[in-house]
Amino acid sequence: AAYTGILGDQEFASTLTCSFLVGLATVVVSTALVVPTAFWVRLKLPRIRPVVEFITLLPFMVPPVVLVFGLISTYSQPPLPLMESSAGATALLVAAYVVLSLPYMYRAADAGLSDIDVRSLTEAGQILGAGWPTILLRIILPNVRVAVLSGAFLTLAIVIGEFTIASFLGRPA
């Protein structure tokens, strides 16, 4: 009876829809941030890979409550008073979720990049006249599509299951 009541509630449907939309935005931003970074680290800066891996693990060390109170105290006053508008609070929510999903998305993208020969594919693209955006979007991304999708599903699961940050930011979750 409890599940029937929840599924029949109009507010539940709207908050679940909002969570999915925020989750999709988080997946897009995470992919746009992590895949080029992991690609560049693997291709040009392999010596700093341990540093990047450590940075991506930092969200495990910071509790979500500390993260959200840091965001609120930083972005509730000028020069960027994002907490004053609904769109600003949603942007902060997406940014917080990107930070929370960073370990999962980076590991997934890095695993996908380790399965392909990044250097040969990049050189082949350059020989054929492709620029960096074309190489990334039309050569690398399709080859790591499965890995990025696994990171995207983990990210979506985090967003749907996370309540603390959305609650403190005043967003429906």
Side-chain angles (χ1 to χ4, degrees):
Y3 289 117
T4 305
I6 289 172
L7 294 175
D9 187 8
Q10 184 63 26
E11 192 171 324
F12 175 75
S14 67
T15 57
L16 186 63
T17 302
C18 181
S19 291
F20 270 115
L21 292 175
V22 168
L24 290 175
T26 303
V27 166
V28 169
V29 172
S30 294
T31 303
L33 178 70
V34 168
V35 172
T37 303
F39 168 70
W40 197 257
V41 166
R42 193 163 279 281
L43 182 67
K44 297 285 186 179
L45 305 168
R47 298 181 83 190
I48 69 161
R49 192 164 169 237
V51 175
V52 174
E53 287 182 1
F54 175 75
I55 290 170
T56 61
L57 291 176
L58 287 177
F60 286 140
M61 298 175 205
V62 178
V65 173
V66 173
L67 175 65
V68 74
F69 280 121
L71 288 172
I72 290 171
S73 67
T74 303
Y75 294 107
S76 62
Q77 55 200 0
L80 289 172
L82 294 177
M83 288 300 298
E84 293 179 5
S85 69
S86 176
T90 302
L92 280 178
L93 184 62
V94 169
Y97 286 157
V98 167
V99 169
L100 286 182
S101 69
L102 192 60
Y104 305 103
M105 189 59 98
Y106 182 79
R107 295 283 176 277
D110 191 50
L113 288 168
S114 70
D115 288 343
I116 62 174
D117 188 0
V118 175
R119 188 166 309 282
S120 295
L121 289 172
T122 302
E123 289 173 358
Q126 287 174 333
I127 289 170
L128 293 171
W132 288 109
T134 303
I135 290 171
L136 195 58
L137 292 174
R138 297 190 66 191
I139 298 171
I140 300 300
L141 195 58
N143 281 297
V144 295
R145 160 180 79 237
V146 173
V148 170
L149 280 174
S150 69
F153 283 124
L154 286 170
T155 298
L156 193 60
I158 290 168
V159 171
I160 297 300
E162 213 291 318
F163 177 74
T164 307
I165 295 174
S167 176
F168 280 115
L169 288 176
R171 306 306 309 141

